[in-house]
Amino acid sequence: MNTSSGKGYMSTASSSAGWKAADTAATAVDQFPAGLRVLVVDDDPTCLMILEKMLRTCLYEVTKCHRAETALSMLRENKNGFDIVISDVHMPDMDGFKLLEHIGLEMDLPVIMMSADDGQHVVMKGVTHGACDYLIKPVRIEALKNIWQHVVRKRKNEWKDFEQSGSVEEGDQQLKQSEDEVYSSSANEGNWKSSKRRKDDEDETNERDDTSTLKKPRVVWSVELHQQFVVAVNQLGIDKAVPKKILELMNVPGLTRENVASHLQKYRLYLRRLSGVSPHPSDLNNSFMSPQDATFGSLSSLNGLDLQTLSATGQLHAQSLVTLQAAGPGRSTGKSGLPVPLVDQRNIFSFENPKLRFGEGQQHVNNNKQMNLLHGIPTTMEPKQLAGLHHGAQSMGNMNMQVTSHGQQSSQNNSLLMQMAQPQARGQMLNDSSLGHDPRLVSPMGQPISSNGIAANVPTRNGIQENIRAPSYNLVSQSSSMLNFPMNYAWELPVNSFPLGSTLGISSLTPKVDFQEADIFNDLNQHKPQNWKLQNAGMTFDASRHSNSLQGNLGHTQPVLVKQGFSSGQVNGQNRNAPVVSKAMFSSGDSTGQVNAQNGNQCLNSLLVDGTIRVKSKTPISLYPDHFGQEDLMSALLKQQDAAAPAEHEFDFDGYSLDNILV
Amino acid sequence: MEVVQIQRNLVDYTKSLFMEGFLDGQFLQLQQLQDESNPDFVAEVVSLFFDDSQKLLNELTIALDQPIVDFKKVDAHVHQLKGSSSSIGAQKVKNACIAFRNFCEVQNIEGCLTCLQQVKLEYYLAKNKFETLFRLEQQIVASGGSIPMIEMGF
């Protein structure tokens, strides 16, 4: 449909095949906002007709609808068919706010509410339900002329999330290109659209239909697939294994870079775990994917990992490997899988540091040793513990998780902790970090601690980082870190983000942790709060993902994430809102910038690229999830937002929370 | 009558409607939406409004006639009427609806009935005015002239 100029934008977006090309962006820019596809829903035919005419005059592509149900089915049938929805509040068949919620959840499109009712409470309702704007009838055409801004804004945020979670490299490139464009956001939009479409088209193995870029399609990592993955990774070298290349090597139709990226993350966590580090991210990853996937992934990764790796870490690994293998693919729930890793981790704990085997680099190796110690801390978080911990020591868990889970982060940690060859570590990590959605920046944590002169911490950190590789469960890492080092809290802080793991395992540790955390945090904060923050951020993210899948108990699910919307920097919040966190991570691309700014660490910055995690670590307050309820988190989050001061412990995703809330 | 004369009449008439409060700025918005591709846009929308409002008024009459009045339902109808009347710029009708809603809120049946009468009255008056307006426009167009745009200081 390129008959009218209004369609030019659409056609441009759809025609662009790959990641944004400058010319595609340019075309989109020229056309935009003309051709914006608007769906307008109102039971009043008069208003509907007027709105349609007004929108057409603005050169938008309009589809009108009398009923909310019809609108919803239209949206469902054609997930990518619309850019924005305008809906009346009072409708006979469905409340406008309900429709708003549905759209936000299922399609994640920007929705503008409108009504003749201008009462404050109604407008407030629109805000709380996630409307991106509220128009009072009679609507003037001037008000409609600028609705495109909501689309751009949302795309921009999603783009950042998207690129963070999936394609850091590509995202960076695109971002750079887009930034050169006049309408960088629209360019992103075009890119995002095309890339998303491509991804949607390519993803044959999706288990469910994801309309939002924030939700990744589920891929079942079968044994063969995982073997292919491992082969590809080993071929490339664990340090150089980036999702893109792995994907190419694997050459599996329907598999996306993101699938590989998230799997890689889990894999790394697993490796870390084997090496004694508590892979918090891995847990998240697992949780992110279906429990089965998670379990399987971890198990298979164990299997596939190589006995060598396992043996490297020590007998325990072998033991765990055996156990895991036995438990194996047969395991259907993430939970069942959990105990195994937990045990392993505990065992691992005693081992010096297996992580090196994957060639993560000397740095890692060193770290591993130390990290092992951390990992050593048995994450005695049995599934039920996990459940119990729900709101518990999130921070603790988070910390561990964070540190270990991200490849990226690990590098960070390593670099930070070790304070040596940081750039190197970073480089490695960066590659690693092109993992999918988890912009976990666990590593930073390590450093601050070490800088504090806590020798113990340093090693731990490294170890933690190493752990990240292994797709271990958060729980495991958490407990290990906690136990071994008093500084645990440091790790824990990041843990906040990892709601599931941390809460569960941590509950027992929490008291200890909290206490320690407080101390440590203060120290850390002084030293490198930034780093720490990153870690937390990373953790959070991972945690949320993992927690979802891992913990059946927690009952966190993807949807929950979406709804939670709060990631609020508090640890507590994070734990609870694990799901949200991940979402938050995606949506708040801004955080990254913030973190970077705050940290001023190049390495951190680079790591942060994907992570919007804003770690404003500071006061241990966040570490005590128990104290915070959702409202608290929300208000805290909002406060933090307002404060706009990194000074608070924000593991959080300040940026996220707000976004989430709206969702 | 000459086209110019009719055009002048139209302009004067329209202005008077604004002065008297029958029309408000929203009507101008509608007029601006009308163009060559949609020469009858305003007339179409207005007639759509009157058809739809007629149904609403009937519903309201029935609702208020019930032994037990469902004020929520009544309020919903009035709210819609308010929305659509405001969208075409029928100011007096809109104002009558606002008053009507106030009585609905306090669940005052008498007040509601009175308001309903008022709304109906305004409805018919507005309908009349619009019909005159469109008739003038049609005459102009029939005579080969173009409909003058009203320049108002809104």
Side-chain angles (χ1 to χ4, degrees):
Chain A
M1 324 190 297
N2 299 324
T3 51
S4 67
S5 60
K7 312 235 171 131
Y9 167 76
M10 270 186 64
S11 56
T12 301
S14 41
S15 60
S16 60
W19 296 91
K20 105 82 333 19
D23 54 343
T24 301
T27 318
V29 168
D30 295 342
Q31 304 277 356
F32 191 81
L36 196 72
R37 297 161 305 166
V38 185
L39 174 67
V40 61
V41 190
D42 194 338
D43 61 322
D44 184 352
T46 312
C47 294
L48 203 58
M49 187 174 174
I50 295 173
L51 279 169
E52 186 194 17
K53 188 71 176 71
M54 283 182 173
L55 291 166
R56 290 250 158 85
T57 307
C58 296
L59 299 181
Y60 297 150
E61 223 186 73
V62 189
T63 309
K64 55 180 184 184
C65 218
H66 284 103
R67 292 167 50 80
E69 294 289 351
T70 316
L72 208 52
S73 57
M74 266 172 130
L75 287 165
R76 283 173 180 150
E77 274 167 39
N78 190 0
K79 300 220 163 163
N80 284 328
F82 300 100
D83 296 312
I84 189 166
V85 179
I86 301 180
S87 170
D88 187 28
V89 167
H90 296 93
M91 288 188 287
D93 63 334
M94 187 195 292
D95 182 35
F97 293 118
K98 203 134 193 334
L99 177 66
L100 167 61
E101 278 177 10
H102 276 296
I103 296 176
L105 284 174
E106 299 177 31
M107 297 107 203
D108 197 32
L109 287 174
V111 181
I112 296 178
M113 300 305 292
M114 68 179 168
S115 177
D117 205 341
D118 60 352
Q120 202 177 13
H121 70 284
V122 186
V123 179
M124 176 58 94
K125 233 180 148 185
V127 174
T128 54
H129 282 74
C132 60
D133 204 353
Y134 192 103
L135 303 176
I136 308 288
K137 286 185 183 175
V139 178
R140 294 173 67 90
I141 194 169
E142 290 82 20
L144 296 175
K145 278 202 175 120
N146 289 328
I147 62 171
W148 59 267
Q149 62 172 296
H150 303 294
V151 178
V152 168
R153 194 175 294 120
K154 204 163 187 109
R155 292 272 187 270
K156 199 166 185 193
N157 291 338
E158 283 176 355
W159 175 253
K160 283 201 179 162
D161 295 339
F162 181 69
E163 83 172 21
Q164 284 171 8
S165 60
S167 13
V168 176
E169 311 117 27
E170 291 156 9
D172 285 340
Q173 288 169 14
Q174 293 210 298
L175 261 189
K176 279 192 206 127
Q177 284 178 3
S178 57
E179 273 159 12
D180 296 339
E181 305 289 347
V182 174
Y183 291 100
S184 57
S185 49
S186 52
N188 283 345
E189 192 169 358
N191 296 337
W192 174 83
K193 265 189 160 151
S194 51
S195 59
K196 181 168 197 297
R197 292 213 186 96
R198 187 180 59 142
K199 178 182 126 150
D200 285 344
D201 294 341
E202 291 172 0
D203 249 321
E204 298 162 359
T205 53
N206 286 1
E207 288 178 0
R208 53 181 183 171
D209 221 352
D210 285 334
T211 48
S212 157
T213 46
L214 299 184
K215 298 183 201 161
K216 305 295 178 221
R218 293 221 213 115
V219 170
V220 178
W221 280 88
S222 64
V223 184
E224 299 88 28
L225 200 61
H226 180 73
Q227 288 297 349
Q228 277 180 284
F229 170 81
V230 173
V231 163
V233 167
N234 291 337
Q235 219 173 308
L236 293 166
I238 201 71
D239 291 335
K240 294 218 172 49
V242 289
K244 197 171 178 187
K245 295 202 182 123
I246 296 173
L247 187 65
E248 286 166 14
L249 277 178
M250 283 176 75
N251 194 23
V252 172
L255 195 64
T256 68
R257 191 187 164 293
E258 274 152 343
N259 301 139
V260 174
S262 64
H263 192 73
L264 180 64
Q265 235 171 1
K266 291 191 180 134
Y267 186 68
R268 290 219 176 100
L269 286 175
Y270 165 74
L271 297 180
R272 273 178 198 287
R273 194 160 52 81
L274 291 181
S275 65
V277 180
S278 54
H280 138 79
S282 57
D283 294 343
L284 289 178
N285 288 327
N286 291 337
S287 50
F288 186 82
M289 287 177 31
S290 60
Q292 248 175 353
D293 293 345
T295 310
F296 191 87
S298 50
L299 290 179
S300 29
S301 48
L302 278 181
N303 295 335
L305 262 187
D306 13 311
L307 289 178
Q308 7 166 331
T309 317
L310 290 177
S311 49
T313 37
Q315 8 171 301
L316 288 181
H317 290 296
Q319 287 172 12
S320 36
L321 181 61
V322 172
T323 317
L324 289 173
Q325 281 174 337
R331 194 134 352 147
S332 54
T333 59
K335 274 219 300 205
S336 50
L338 284 180
V340 176
L342 290 178
V343 172
D344 289 346
Q345 293 213 343
R346 239 170 290 173
N347 294 332
I348 293 174
F349 177 81
S350 50
F351 288 89
E352 287 264 79
N353 68 33
K355 64 181 175 170
L356 300 179
R357 51 174 171 227
F358 289 101
E360 286 189 45
Q362 285 311 308
Q363 300 170 3
H364 293 284
V365 177
N366 295 334
N367 294 335
N368 285 334
K369 290 190 191 159
Q370 296 164 340
M371 295 215 0
N372 293 337
L373 292 182
L374 284 182
H375 286 295
I377 301 181
T379 317
T380 43
M381 306 220 233
E382 302 303 330
K384 43 179 178 173
Q385 275 188 7
L386 294 176
L389 290 180
H390 213 63
H391 297 295
Q394 298 171 344
S395 46
M396 302 271 295
N398 292 335
M399 291 187 42
N400 293 335
M401 305 300 290
Q402 292 182 351
V403 175
T404 54
S405 37
H406 286 279
Q408 302 168 355
Q409 296 173 345
S410 49
S411 49
Q412 279 270 318
N413 286 333
N414 289 332
S415 51
L416 293 175
L417 289 173
M418 304 310 290
Q419 291 183 344
M420 56 184 176
Q422 285 185 12
Q424 294 175 19
R426 219 180 347 183
Q428 283 179 354
M429 298 311 305
L430 284 182
N431 288 338
D432 296 343
S433 51
S434 49
L435 299 177
H437 328 287
D438 305 16
R440 302 176 231 186
L441 302 174
V442 179
S443 42
M445 282 296 297
Q447 281 207 344
I449 296 182
S450 48
S451 57
N452 286 329
I454 302 176
N457 296 329
V458 177
T460 328
R461 292 238 172 208
N462 297 331
I464 293 178
Q465 292 181 350
E466 296 301 334
N467 291 337
I468 293 179
R469 280 165 168 271
S472 52
Y473 294 91
N474 301 334
L475 299 180
V476 179
S477 46
Q478 292 172 352
S479 46
S480 36
S481 51
M482 306 254 303
L483 297 179
N484 296 331
F485 302 85
M487 304 302 285
N488 293 337
Y489 84 88
W491 288 295
E492 296 171 350
L493 289 180
V495 172
N496 294 333
S497 52
F498 184 79
L500 288 181
S502 45
T503 40
L504 296 178
I506 306 209
S507 55
S508 51
L509 299 172
T510 317
K512 191 167 44 156
V513 179
D514 292 343
F515 189 78
Q516 293 174 339
E517 289 176 353
D519 301 339
I520 302 178
F521 277 112
N522 292 331
D523 295 339
L524 287 181
N525 290 338
Q526 292 162 13
H527 291 279
K528 283 190 184 168
Q530 299 158 358
N531 297 336
W532 180 73
K533 291 184 197 172
L534 290 178
Q535 286 183 343
N536 292 339
M539 296 290 292
T540 317
F541 183 81
D542 296 340
S544 48
R545 295 227 316 222
H546 287 290
S547 41
N548 287 334
S549 51
L550 285 181
Q551 320 286 336
N553 305 337
L554 296 183
H556 287 257
T557 56
Q558 288 293 339
V560 176
L561 262 183
V562 175
K563 287 184 186 172
Q564 291 276 348
F566 280 122
S567 11
S568 47
Q570 313 192 358
V571 176
N572 302 332
Q574 294 178 346
N575 295 335
R576 192 171 321 167
N577 299 316
V580 174
V581 173
S582 39
K583 183 168 199 267
M585 305 251 311
F586 289 111
S587 54
S588 38
D590 310 326
S591 310
T592 316
Q594 294 189 6
V595 179
N596 292 335
Q598 293 168 8
N599 295 327
N601 268 348
Q602 272 318 302
C603 12
L604 288 179
N605 289 338
S606 46
L607 288 181
L608 290 177
V609 173
D610 52 12
T612 47
I613 307 172
R614 269 198 295 179
V615 182
K616 299 181 194 182
S617 49
K618 268 263 254 31
T619 50
I621 296 177
S622 47
L623 297 180
Y624 301 88
D626 294 338
H627 307 310
F628 298 92
Q630 245 197 16
E631 284 69 27
D632 294 340
L633 291 175
M634 186 158 286
S635 44
L637 185 60
L638 289 173
K639 247 193 314 181
Q640 283 180 351
Q641 290 279 182
D642 296 342
E648 293 158 344
H649 23 276
E650 338 183 279
F651 298 95
D652 47 76
F653 305 96
D654 289 337
Y656 301 111
S657 32
L658 286 188
D659 289 344
N660 293 332
I661 293 175
L662 287 184
V663 170
Chain B
M1 202 187 290
E2 275 195 27
V3 175
V4 176
Q5 185 58 45
I6 307 175
Q7 283 173 332
R8 210 174 294 139
N9 288 349
L10 176 64
V11 170
D12 291 341
Y13 187 69
T14 310
K15 281 192 178 166
S16 73
L17 291 182
F18 279 103
M19 296 304 180
E20 291 167 26
F22 280 100
L23 295 177
D24 62 23
Q26 190 63 21
F27 185 72
L28 288 178
Q29 290 257 317
L30 288 194
Q31 289 195 315
Q32 282 166 13
L33 289 175
Q34 185 161 290
D35 53 23
E36 301 83 34
S37 65
N38 242 352
D40 300 319
F41 177 71
V42 182
E44 278 175 20
V45 175
V46 172
S47 94
L48 182 60
F49 164 73
F50 283 112
D51 288 343
D52 194 51
S53 312
Q54 184 67 62
K55 293 188 200 137
L56 279 174
L57 289 172
N58 292 341
E59 298 268 333
L60 279 168
T61 310
I62 294 170
L64 283 173
D65 208 20
Q66 301 298 312
I68 299 179
V69 176
D70 182 356
F71 284 101
K72 219 166 154 227
K73 194 173 177 191
V74 172
D75 184 69
H77 287 315
V78 179
H79 175 76
Q80 172 151 342
L81 190 59
K82 175 188 166 191
S84 51
S85 59
S86 67
S87 295
I88 65 158
Q91 191 171 257
K92 288 201 175 184
V93 178
K94 179 189 78 175
N95 289 341
C97 287
I98 294 175
F100 196 155
R101 282 196 91 194
N102 289 337
F103 282 106
C104 280
E105 249 176 84
V106 297
Q107 304 207 348
N108 182 334
I109 296 213
E110 288 307 316
C112 285
L113 286 168
T114 309
C115 282
L116 179 60
Q117 290 312 311
Q118 188 65 29
V119 171
K120 282 182 177 174
L121 178 64
E122 296 297 347
Y123 167 89
Y124 288 114
L125 280 176
K127 195 166 183 210
N128 229 320
K129 301 286 184 184
F130 275 113
E131 281 171 356
T132 308
L133 197 70
F134 294 134
R135 199 161 44 241
L136 284 174
E137 283 187 357
Q138 280 164 12
Q139 284 177 1
I140 293 171
V141 171
S143 308
S146 60
I147 300 170
M149 289 302 288
I150 310 290
E151 302 280 338
M152 304 287 289
F154 288 96

